[in-house]
């Protein structure tokens, strides 16, 4: 639910609300699935998108880099999701 709310909030221009929802979703998935689960790729991307819109570029880059690392680890460098 928080992931969906984060995406909807971002699309509606509610960027800070999106960031908060994305952080909650990421934390819940981390606790549930562990730090290295491939399901966290989308959560890191969602948070990165919100942070980018807030012009918090260094933080956004960290989220995107973590998403890429998890995707490469789970699927390999040549997979379409990577």
């Amino acid at each position: 639910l928080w992931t969906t709310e984060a995406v909807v909030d971002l699309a509606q221009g509610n960027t800070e609300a999106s960031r908060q929802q994305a952080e909650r979703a990421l934390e819940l998935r981390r606790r549930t699935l562990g730090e290295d689960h491939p399901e966290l790729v989308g959560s890191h991307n969602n948070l990165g998108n919100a942070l980018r819109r807030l012009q918090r570029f260094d933080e956004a880059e960290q989220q995107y880099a973590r998403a890429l690392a998890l995707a490469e680890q789970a699927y390999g460098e040549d997979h379409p999701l990577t």
Side-chain angles (χ1 to χ4, degrees):
L1 180 62
W2 285 328
T3 298
T4 302
E5 288 182 15
V7 172
V8 170
D9 282 340
L10 192 62
Q12 293 177 340
N14 301 322
T15 313
E16 181 57 29
S18 175
R19 182 197 61 78
Q20 291 173 8
Q21 298 294 356
E23 284 182 347
R24 288 184 187 120
L26 177 59
E27 182 57 32
L28 179 62
R29 283 188 170 181
R30 273 189 187 137
R31 283 185 291 178
T32 304
L33 302 171
E35 288 287 327
D36 296 325
H37 197 281
E39 286 292 320
L40 272 66
V41 171
S43 296
H44 282 288
N45 272 323
N46 289 339
L47 181 53
N49 290 339
L51 290 166
R52 181 178 48 84
R53 287 266 186 96
L54 290 166
Q55 299 184 357
R56 292 166 59 176
F57 300 119
D58 290 340
E59 293 171 83
E61 183 179 14
Q62 291 172 358
Q63 295 302 316
Y64 292 140
R66 182 64 180 143
L68 178 60
L70 288 173
E72 287 177 344
Q73 177 183 352
Y75 309 116
E77 291 182 12
D78 297 327
H79 192 279
L81 293 177
T82 309

Coordinates of all heavy atoms in Angstrom, one line a residue:
L1 N 0.8 -1.2 0.0 CA 0.0 0.0 0.0 C 0.9 1.3 0.0 O 0.6 2.2 -0.7 CB -0.9 0.0 1.2 CG -1.9 1.2 1.3 CD1 -2.8 1.3 0.2 CD2 -2.7 1.1 2.6
W2 N 1.9 1.3 0.8 CA 2.8 2.5 0.9 C 3.5 2.7 -0.5 O 3.7 3.8 -0.9 CB 3.8 2.4 2.0 CG 3.2 2.6 3.3 CD1 2.1 3.5 3.6 CD2 3.6 2.1 4.5 NE1 1.9 3.4 5.0 CE2 2.8 2.6 5.6 CE3 4.6 1.2 4.9 CZ2 2.9 2.2 6.9 CZ3 4.7 0.8 6.2 CH2 3.9 1.3 7.2
T3 N 3.8 1.6 -1.2 CA 4.5 1.8 -2.5 C 3.5 2.4 -3.4 O 3.9 3.3 -4.2 CB 4.9 0.4 -3.0 OG1 5.9 -0.2 -2.1 CG2 5.5 0.5 -4.4
T4 N 2.3 2.0 -3.5 CA 1.3 2.5 -4.4 C 1.1 4.0 -4.0 O 1.0 4.9 -4.9 CB 0.0 1.7 -4.3 OG1 0.3 0.4 -4.7 CG2 -1.0 2.3 -5.2
E5 N 0.9 4.3 -2.8 CA 0.7 5.7 -2.4 C 1.9 6.6 -2.7 O 1.7 7.7 -3.2 CB 0.5 5.8 -0.9 CG -0.9 5.2 -0.4 CD -1.1 5.3 1.0 OE1 -0.4 6.1 1.7 OE2 -2.1 4.7 1.5
A6 N 3.1 6.0 -2.6 CA 4.3 6.8 -3.0 C 4.3 7.2 -4.5 O 4.5 8.3 -4.9 CB 5.6 6.0 -2.7
V7 N 3.9 6.2 -5.3 CA 3.9 6.4 -6.8 C 2.7 7.4 -7.1 O 2.9 8.3 -7.9 CB 3.7 5.1 -7.5 CG1 3.4 5.3 -9.0 CG2 4.9 4.2 -7.3
V8 N 1.6 7.2 -6.5 CA 0.5 8.1 -6.8 C 0.8 9.6 -6.3 O 0.6 10.5 -7.0 CB -0.8 7.6 -6.1 CG1 -2.0 8.6 -6.2 CG2 -1.3 6.3 -6.8
D9 N 1.3 9.7 -5.1 CA 1.7 11.0 -4.6 C 2.7 11.7 -5.5 O 2.5 12.9 -5.7 CB 2.3 10.9 -3.1 CG 1.2 10.7 -2.1 OD1 0.1 11.0 -2.3 OD2 1.6 10.2 -1.0
L10 N 3.7 10.9 -6.0 CA 4.6 11.5 -6.9 C 4.0 12.0 -8.1 O 4.3 13.1 -8.6 CB 5.8 10.5 -7.2 CG 7.0 11.1 -7.8 CD1 7.7 12.1 -6.9 CD2 8.0 10.0 -8.2
A11 N 3.1 11.2 -8.7 CA 2.4 11.6 -9.9 C 1.5 12.8 -9.7 O 1.4 13.6 -10.7 CB 1.6 10.4 -10.4
Q12 N 1.0 13.0 -8.5 CA 0.2 14.1 -8.2 C 0.9 15.4 -7.8 O 0.3 16.4 -7.4 CB -0.9 13.7 -7.2 CG -1.9 12.7 -7.7 CD -2.9 12.3 -6.6 OE1 -2.6 12.4 -5.4 NE2 -4.0 11.7 -7.1
G13 N 2.2 15.2 -7.7 CA 3.1 16.4 -7.3 C 3.2 16.5 -5.8 O 3.8 17.5 -5.3
N14 N 2.8 15.5 -5.0 CA 3.0 15.5 -3.6 C 4.3 14.9 -3.2 O 4.3 13.8 -2.7 CB 1.8 14.8 -2.9 CG 0.5 15.4 -3.2 OD1 0.4 16.7 -3.3 ND2 -0.5 14.6 -3.4
T15 N 5.3 15.6 -3.5 CA 6.7 14.9 -3.5 C 7.1 14.6 -2.1 O 7.7 13.5 -1.9 CB 7.7 15.9 -4.2 OG1 7.1 16.4 -5.4 CG2 9.0 15.2 -4.4
E16 N 6.9 15.4 -1.1 CA 7.4 15.1 0.2 C 6.6 13.9 0.8 O 7.1 13.0 1.4 CB 7.3 16.3 1.1 CG 7.7 16.0 2.6 CD 9.2 15.5 2.7 OE1 10.0 15.9 1.8 OE2 9.4 14.8 3.7
A17 N 5.3 13.9 0.5 CA 4.5 12.7 0.9 C 4.9 11.5 0.2 O 5.0 10.4 0.9 CB 3.0 13.0 0.6
S18 N 5.3 11.6 -1.0 CA 5.8 10.4 -1.8 C 7.1 9.9 -1.1 O 7.3 8.7 -1.0 CB 6.1 10.8 -3.2 OG 6.7 9.8 -3.9
R19 N 8.0 10.8 -0.8 CA 9.3 10.4 -0.1 C 9.0 9.7 1.2 O 9.6 8.6 1.4 CB 10.1 11.6 0.1 CG 11.5 11.2 0.8 CD 12.2 12.4 1.4 NE 11.4 13.0 2.5 CZ 11.3 12.5 3.7 NH1 11.9 11.4 4.1 NH2 10.6 13.2 4.7
Q20 N 8.1 10.2 2.0 CA 7.8 9.5 3.2 C 7.2 8.1 3.0 O 7.6 7.2 3.7 CB 6.8 10.4 4.0 CG 7.4 11.7 4.5 CD 6.4 12.6 5.2 OE1 5.3 12.3 5.4 NE2 6.9 13.8 5.5
Q21 N 6.3 8.0 2.1 CA 5.6 6.7 1.8 C 6.7 5.7 1.3 O 6.7 4.6 1.6 CB 4.5 6.8 0.8 CG 3.3 7.7 1.3 CD 2.6 7.1 2.5 OE1 2.9 6.0 3.0 NE2 1.7 7.9 3.0
A22 N 7.6 6.2 0.4 CA 8.6 5.4 -0.2 C 9.6 4.9 0.9 O 10.0 3.7 0.9 CB 9.3 6.1 -1.3
E23 N 9.9 5.7 1.8 CA 10.8 5.3 2.9 C 10.1 4.3 3.8 O 10.8 3.3 4.2 CB 11.2 6.5 3.8 CG 12.2 7.4 3.1 CD 12.7 8.6 4.0 OE1 12.0 8.9 5.0 OE2 13.7 9.2 3.6
R24 N 8.9 4.5 4.1 CA 8.1 3.5 4.9 C 8.1 2.1 4.2 O 8.3 1.1 4.8 CB 6.7 4.0 5.2 CG 6.7 5.1 6.2 CD 5.2 5.4 6.5 NE 5.2 6.6 7.4 CZ 4.6 7.8 7.0 NH1 4.0 7.9 5.9 NH2 4.6 8.8 7.8
A25 N 7.8 2.2 2.9 CA 7.7 0.9 2.1 C 9.0 0.2 2.0 O 9.1 -1.0 2.2 CB 7.2 1.2 0.7
L26 N 10.1 1.0 1.8 CA 11.4 0.4 1.8 C 11.8 -0.3 3.1 O 12.3 -1.4 3.2 CB 12.5 1.4 1.4 CG 13.9 1.0 1.4 CD1 14.1 -0.2 0.4 CD2 14.8 2.2 1.0
E27 N 11.5 0.4 4.2 CA 11.8 -0.1 5.5 C 11.1 -1.4 5.8 O 11.6 -2.3 6.4 CB 11.6 1.0 6.6 CG 11.9 0.5 8.0 CD 13.4 0.0 8.1 OE1 14.3 0.6 7.4 OE2 13.7 -0.9 9.0
L28 N 9.8 -1.4 5.5 CA 9.0 -2.6 5.7 C 9.5 -3.7 4.9 O 9.6 -4.9 5.4 CB 7.5 -2.3 5.4 CG 6.6 -3.5 5.5 CD1 6.5 -3.9 7.0 CD2 5.2 -3.1 5.0
R29 N 9.8 -3.5 3.7 CA 10.4 -4.6 2.8 C 11.7 -5.1 3.4 O 12.0 -6.3 3.3 CB 10.5 -4.1 1.4 CG 9.1 -4.1 0.7 CD 9.3 -3.9 -0.8 NE 8.0 -4.1 -1.4 CZ 7.8 -4.0 -2.7 NH1 8.7 -3.6 -3.5 NH2 6.6 -4.2 -3.2
R30 N 12.5 -4.2 3.8 CA 13.8 -4.6 4.4 C 13.6 -5.5 5.6 O 14.3 -6.5 5.7 CB 14.6 -3.3 4.8 CG 15.5 -2.7 3.8 CD 16.3 -1.6 4.5 NE 17.0 -0.9 3.5 CZ 17.2 0.4 3.6 NH1 16.6 1.1 4.6 NH2 17.9 1.1 2.7
R31 N 12.7 -5.1 6.5 CA 12.5 -5.9 7.7 C 11.9 -7.2 7.3 O 12.2 -8.2 8.0 CB 11.6 -5.2 8.7 CG 12.3 -4.1 9.4 CD 11.4 -3.5 10.5 NE 10.4 -2.7 9.8 CZ 9.4 -2.1 10.3 NH1 9.2 -2.1 11.6 NH2 8.5 -1.4 9.6
T32 N 11.0 -7.3 6.3 CA 10.3 -8.5 6.0 C 11.2 -9.4 5.1 O 11.2 -10.6 5.3 CB 9.1 -8.1 5.2 OG1 8.3 -7.3 6.0 CG2 8.3 -9.4 4.9
L33 N 11.9 -8.9 4.1 CA 12.6 -9.7 3.2 C 14.1 -9.7 3.3 O 14.8 -10.6 2.8 CB 12.3 -9.1 1.7 CG 10.8 -9.0 1.4 CD1 10.7 -8.3 0.1 CD2 10.2 -10.5 1.3
G34 N 14.7 -8.8 4.1 CA 16.1 -8.7 4.2 C 16.7 -7.7 3.3 O 16.1 -7.2 2.4
E35 N 18.0 -7.3 3.6 CA 18.7 -6.2 2.9 C 18.9 -6.5 1.4 O 19.0 -5.5 0.6 CB 20.0 -5.9 3.5 CG 19.9 -5.3 4.9 CD 19.5 -3.8 4.8 OE1 19.9 -3.2 3.9 OE2 18.8 -3.4 5.7
D36 N 19.1 -7.7 1.0 CA 19.5 -8.0 -0.4 C 18.5 -8.6 -1.3 O 18.8 -9.2 -2.3 CB 20.8 -8.9 -0.3 CG 21.9 -8.3 0.4 OD1 22.1 -7.1 0.2 OD2 22.7 -9.0 1.1
H37 N 17.2 -8.6 -0.9 CA 16.2 -9.2 -1.7 C 15.9 -8.3 -2.9 O 15.8 -7.1 -2.9 CB 14.9 -9.3 -0.8 CG 13.9 -10.3 -1.4 ND1 13.1 -10.0 -2.4 CD2 13.7 -11.5 -1.1 CE1 12.3 -11.0 -2.7 NE2 12.7 -12.0 -1.9
P38 N 15.7 -9.0 -4.1 CA 15.4 -8.3 -5.3 C 14.1 -7.4 -5.3 O 14.0 -6.5 -6.1 CB 15.4 -9.3 -6.4 CG 15.4 -10.6 -5.7 CD 15.8 -10.4 -4.3
E39 N 13.2 -7.7 -4.4 CA 12.0 -6.9 -4.3 C 12.3 -5.5 -3.9 O 11.5 -4.6 -4.0 CB 11.0 -7.6 -3.4 CG 10.3 -8.8 -3.9 CD 9.4 -8.4 -5.0 OE1 8.6 -7.4 -5.0 OE2 9.3 -9.2 -6.0
L40 N 13.5 -5.3 -3.3 CA 13.8 -3.9 -2.8 C 14.3 -3.0 -4.0 O 14.4 -1.8 -3.8 CB 15.0 -4.0 -1.8 CG 14.5 -4.2 -0.4 CD1 13.9 -5.5 -0.1 CD2 15.7 -3.9 0.6
V41 N 14.5 -3.6 -5.2 CA 14.9 -2.8 -6.3 C 13.9 -1.7 -6.6 O 14.2 -0.5 -6.7 CB 15.1 -3.6 -7.6 CG1 15.3 -2.8 -8.8 CG2 16.3 -4.6 -7.4
G42 N 12.6 -2.0 -6.7 CA 11.6 -1.0 -6.9 C 11.4 0.0 -5.8 O 11.2 1.2 -6.1
S43 N 11.6 -0.5 -4.6 CA 11.5 0.4 -3.5 C 12.6 1.5 -3.5 O 12.4 2.7 -3.2 CB 11.5 -0.4 -2.2 OG 10.4 -1.2 -2.1
H44 N 13.8 1.0 -3.8 CA 14.9 2.0 -3.9 C 14.7 3.0 -5.0 O 15.0 4.2 -4.9 CB 16.3 1.3 -4.0 CG 16.8 0.7 -2.8 ND1 17.3 1.4 -1.8 CD2 16.9 -0.6 -2.3 CE1 17.7 0.7 -0.8 NE2 17.4 -0.6 -1.1
N45 N 14.2 2.5 -6.1 CA 13.9 3.3 -7.3 C 12.8 4.4 -6.9 O 13.0 5.5 -7.3 CB 13.5 2.5 -8.5 CG 14.7 2.1 -9.3 OD1 15.6 2.8 -9.5 ND2 14.6 0.9 -9.9
N46 N 11.8 3.9 -6.3 CA 10.7 4.9 -5.9 C 11.2 6.0 -5.0 O 10.9 7.1 -5.2 CB 9.6 4.1 -5.2 CG 8.8 3.2 -6.2 OD1 8.8 3.4 -7.4 ND2 8.1 2.3 -5.7
L47 N 12.0 5.6 -4.0 CA 12.6 6.6 -3.1 C 13.5 7.5 -3.9 O 13.5 8.7 -3.7 CB 13.3 5.9 -1.9 CG 13.9 6.8 -0.9 CD1 12.9 7.8 -0.4 CD2 14.5 6.0 0.2
G48 N 14.3 6.9 -4.8 CA 15.2 7.8 -5.6 C 14.4 8.8 -6.4 O 14.8 9.9 -6.6
N49 N 13.3 8.3 -7.0 CA 12.5 9.3 -7.8 C 12.0 10.4 -7.0 O 12.0 11.6 -7.4 CB 11.3 8.5 -8.4 CG 11.8 7.5 -9.5 OD1 12.9 7.7 -10.1 ND2 10.9 6.5 -9.8
A50 N 11.5 10.1 -5.8 CA 11.0 11.2 -4.9 C 12.1 12.2 -4.5 O 12.0 13.4 -4.5 CB 10.3 10.6 -3.7
L51 N 13.3 11.6 -4.1 CA 14.4 12.4 -3.7 C 14.9 13.3 -4.9 O 15.3 14.4 -4.7 CB 15.5 11.5 -3.2 CG 15.3 10.9 -1.9 CD1 16.3 9.8 -1.6 CD2 15.3 11.9 -0.7
R52 N 14.9 12.7 -6.1 CA 15.3 13.5 -7.3 C 14.4 14.7 -7.5 O 14.8 15.8 -7.7 CB 15.3 12.6 -8.5 CG 15.8 13.3 -9.8 CD 15.8 12.4 -11.0 NE 14.6 11.5 -11.1 CZ 13.5 11.9 -11.8 NH1 13.4 13.1 -12.3 NH2 12.5 11.1 -11.9
R53 N 13.1 14.4 -7.4 CA 12.1 15.5 -7.5 C 12.3 16.6 -6.5 O 12.0 17.8 -6.7 CB 10.7 15.0 -7.5 CG 10.2 14.2 -8.6 CD 9.5 15.1 -9.7 NE 9.0 14.3 -10.7 CZ 7.7 13.9 -10.8 NH1 6.9 14.2 -9.8 NH2 7.3 13.2 -11.8
L54 N 12.8 16.2 -5.3 CA 13.0 17.2 -4.2 C 14.4 17.8 -4.4 O 14.8 18.6 -3.5 CB 13.0 16.5 -2.9 CG 11.6 16.0 -2.4 CD1 11.6 15.1 -1.2 CD2 10.7 17.2 -2.0
Q55 N 15.1 17.5 -5.5 CA 16.4 18.0 -5.8 C 17.5 17.6 -4.8 O 18.4 18.3 -4.5 CB 16.4 19.5 -6.0 CG 15.5 19.9 -7.1 CD 15.5 21.4 -7.5 OE1 16.2 22.2 -6.8 NE2 14.8 21.8 -8.5
R56 N 17.2 16.5 -4.2 CA 18.2 15.9 -3.2 C 19.0 14.8 -4.0 O 18.9 13.6 -3.8 CB 17.5 15.3 -2.0 CG 16.8 16.4 -1.2 CD 15.8 15.9 -0.2 NE 16.4 15.0 0.8 CZ 15.6 14.5 1.8 NH1 14.4 14.9 2.0 NH2 16.1 13.6 2.7
F57 N 19.8 15.3 -4.9 CA 20.4 14.5 -6.0 C 21.4 13.5 -5.4 O 21.4 12.3 -5.9 CB 21.0 15.4 -7.0 CG 20.1 16.3 -7.7 CD1 20.2 17.7 -7.6 CD2 19.0 15.8 -8.4 CE1 19.3 18.5 -8.3 CE2 18.0 16.6 -9.0 CZ 18.2 18.0 -9.0
D58 N 22.2 13.8 -4.4 CA 23.2 12.9 -3.9 C 22.4 11.7 -3.2 O 22.8 10.5 -3.4 CB 24.1 13.5 -2.9 CG 25.0 14.5 -3.5 OD1 25.3 14.4 -4.7 OD2 25.6 15.4 -2.8
E59 N 21.4 12.0 -2.5 CA 20.6 10.9 -1.9 C 19.9 10.0 -2.9 O 19.8 8.8 -2.8 CB 19.6 11.5 -0.9 CG 20.2 12.2 0.3 CD 19.2 12.9 1.1 OE1 18.5 12.3 1.9 OE2 19.0 14.1 0.9
A60 N 19.4 10.7 -3.9 CA 18.7 10.0 -5.0 C 19.7 9.0 -5.7 O 19.4 7.9 -6.0 CB 18.1 10.9 -6.0
E61 N 20.9 9.5 -6.0 CA 21.9 8.7 -6.6 C 22.2 7.5 -5.8 O 22.4 6.4 -6.3 CB 23.1 9.5 -6.9 CG 24.2 8.7 -7.7 CD 25.4 9.6 -7.9 OE1 25.6 10.7 -7.4 OE2 26.2 9.1 -8.8
Q62 N 22.3 7.6 -4.5 CA 22.6 6.5 -3.6 C 21.5 5.4 -3.7 O 21.7 4.2 -3.8 CB 22.7 7.0 -2.2 CG 23.9 7.8 -1.9 CD 23.9 8.4 -0.5 OE1 23.0 8.2 0.3 NE2 25.0 9.1 -0.2
Q63 N 20.2 5.9 -3.8 CA 19.1 4.9 -3.9 C 19.1 4.2 -5.3 O 18.9 3.0 -5.4 CB 17.8 5.6 -3.7 CG 17.6 6.2 -2.4 CD 17.7 5.2 -1.3 OE1 17.1 4.1 -1.4 NE2 18.4 5.5 -0.2
Y64 N 19.4 5.0 -6.3 CA 19.5 4.3 -7.7 C 20.7 3.4 -7.7 O 20.5 2.3 -8.3 CB 19.7 5.4 -8.7 CG 18.5 6.3 -9.0 CD1 18.6 7.7 -9.2 CD2 17.2 5.8 -8.9 CE1 17.5 8.5 -9.4 CE2 16.1 6.6 -9.1 CZ 16.3 7.9 -9.4 OH 15.2 8.8 -9.6
A65 N 21.8 3.7 -7.1 CA 23.0 2.8 -7.1 C 22.7 1.5 -6.4 O 23.0 0.4 -6.8 CB 24.2 3.5 -6.5
R66 N 21.9 1.6 -5.3 CA 21.6 0.4 -4.5 C 20.6 -0.4 -5.3 O 20.7 -1.7 -5.3 CB 21.0 0.8 -3.2 CG 20.6 -0.3 -2.3 CD 21.9 -1.1 -1.9 NE 21.5 -2.3 -1.0 CZ 22.0 -3.4 -1.1 NH1 23.1 -3.7 -1.9 NH2 21.6 -4.4 -0.3
A67 N 19.7 0.2 -6.0 CA 18.7 -0.5 -6.8 C 19.5 -1.3 -7.9 O 19.2 -2.5 -8.2 CB 17.7 0.4 -7.4
L68 N 20.4 -0.6 -8.6 CA 21.2 -1.2 -9.6 C 22.0 -2.4 -9.1 O 22.0 -3.5 -9.7 CB 22.0 -0.2 -10.3 CG 22.9 -0.7 -11.5 CD1 22.1 -1.4 -12.6 CD2 23.8 0.4 -12.0
A69 N 22.6 -2.2 -8.0 CA 23.5 -3.3 -7.4 C 22.6 -4.5 -7.1 O 23.0 -5.6 -7.4 CB 24.2 -2.8 -6.2
L70 N 21.4 -4.3 -6.5 CA 20.5 -5.4 -6.2 C 20.1 -6.1 -7.4 O 20.0 -7.3 -7.5 CB 19.3 -4.9 -5.4 CG 19.6 -4.5 -3.9 CD1 18.4 -3.9 -3.3 CD2 20.1 -5.8 -3.1
A71 N 19.7 -5.3 -8.5 CA 19.3 -5.9 -9.7 C 20.4 -6.7 -10.4 O 20.1 -7.9 -10.9 CB 18.8 -4.8 -10.7
E72 N 21.6 -6.2 -10.4 CA 22.7 -6.9 -11.0 C 23.0 -8.2 -10.2 O 23.3 -9.3 -10.8 CB 23.9 -6.1 -11.1 CG 23.9 -5.0 -12.1 CD 25.1 -4.1 -12.1 OE1 25.8 -4.0 -11.1 OE2 25.2 -3.3 -13.1
Q73 N 22.9 -8.1 -8.9 CA 23.1 -9.3 -8.1 C 22.1 -10.4 -8.3 O 22.4 -11.6 -8.4 CB 23.1 -8.9 -6.6 CG 23.3 -10.0 -5.6 CD 23.2 -9.5 -4.2 OE1 23.1 -8.3 -3.9 NE2 23.2 -10.4 -3.2
A74 N 20.8 -10.0 -8.5 CA 19.7 -10.9 -8.6 C 19.6 -11.5 -10.0 O 19.3 -12.6 -10.2 CB 18.4 -10.3 -8.1
Y75 N 19.8 -10.6 -11.0 CA 19.4 -11.0 -12.4 C 20.6 -11.0 -13.3 O 20.5 -11.5 -14.4 CB 18.4 -10.0 -12.9 CG 17.2 -9.8 -12.0 CD1 16.9 -8.5 -11.4 CD2 16.3 -10.8 -11.7 CE1 15.8 -8.3 -10.6 CE2 15.2 -10.6 -10.9 CZ 15.0 -9.4 -10.4 OH 13.9 -9.2 -9.5
G76 N 21.7 -10.4 -13.0 CA 22.9 -10.3 -13.9 C 22.8 -9.0 -14.6 O 21.8 -8.3 -14.8
E77 N 24.0 -8.6 -15.2 CA 24.2 -7.3 -15.8 C 23.4 -7.2 -17.1 O 23.0 -6.1 -17.6 CB 25.6 -7.1 -16.1 CG 26.4 -6.8 -14.9 CD 27.9 -6.5 -15.2 OE1 28.2 -6.3 -16.4 OE2 28.7 -6.5 -14.3
D78 N 23.1 -8.3 -17.8 CA 22.5 -8.3 -19.1 C 21.0 -8.5 -19.1 O 20.3 -8.5 -20.1 CB 23.1 -9.4 -20.0 CG 24.6 -9.1 -20.3 OD1 25.0 -7.9 -20.3 OD2 25.3 -10.1 -20.4
H79 N 20.4 -8.6 -17.9 CA 18.9 -8.8 -17.8 C 18.2 -7.5 -18.1 O 18.7 -6.4 -17.7 CB 18.6 -9.3 -16.4 CG 17.2 -9.8 -16.3 ND1 16.1 -9.0 -16.1 CD2 16.7 -11.1 -16.4 CE1 15.0 -9.7 -16.0 NE2 15.4 -11.0 -16.2
P80 N 17.0 -7.5 -18.7 CA 16.3 -6.3 -19.0 C 15.9 -5.5 -17.8 O 15.8 -4.3 -17.9 CB 15.0 -6.8 -19.7 CG 15.3 -8.1 -20.2 CD 16.4 -8.7 -19.3
L81 N 15.8 -6.1 -16.6 CA 15.5 -5.3 -15.4 C 16.7 -4.6 -14.8 O 16.6 -3.8 -13.9 CB 14.9 -6.3 -14.3 CG 13.5 -6.8 -14.6 CD1 13.1 -7.8 -13.5 CD2 12.5 -5.7 -14.8
T82 N 17.9 -4.9 -15.4 CA 19.1 -4.3 -14.9 C 19.4 -3.1 -15.8 O 19.7 -2.2 -15.9 CB 20.3 -5.3 -14.9 OG1 19.9 -6.4 -14.2 CG2 21.5 -4.7 -14.3

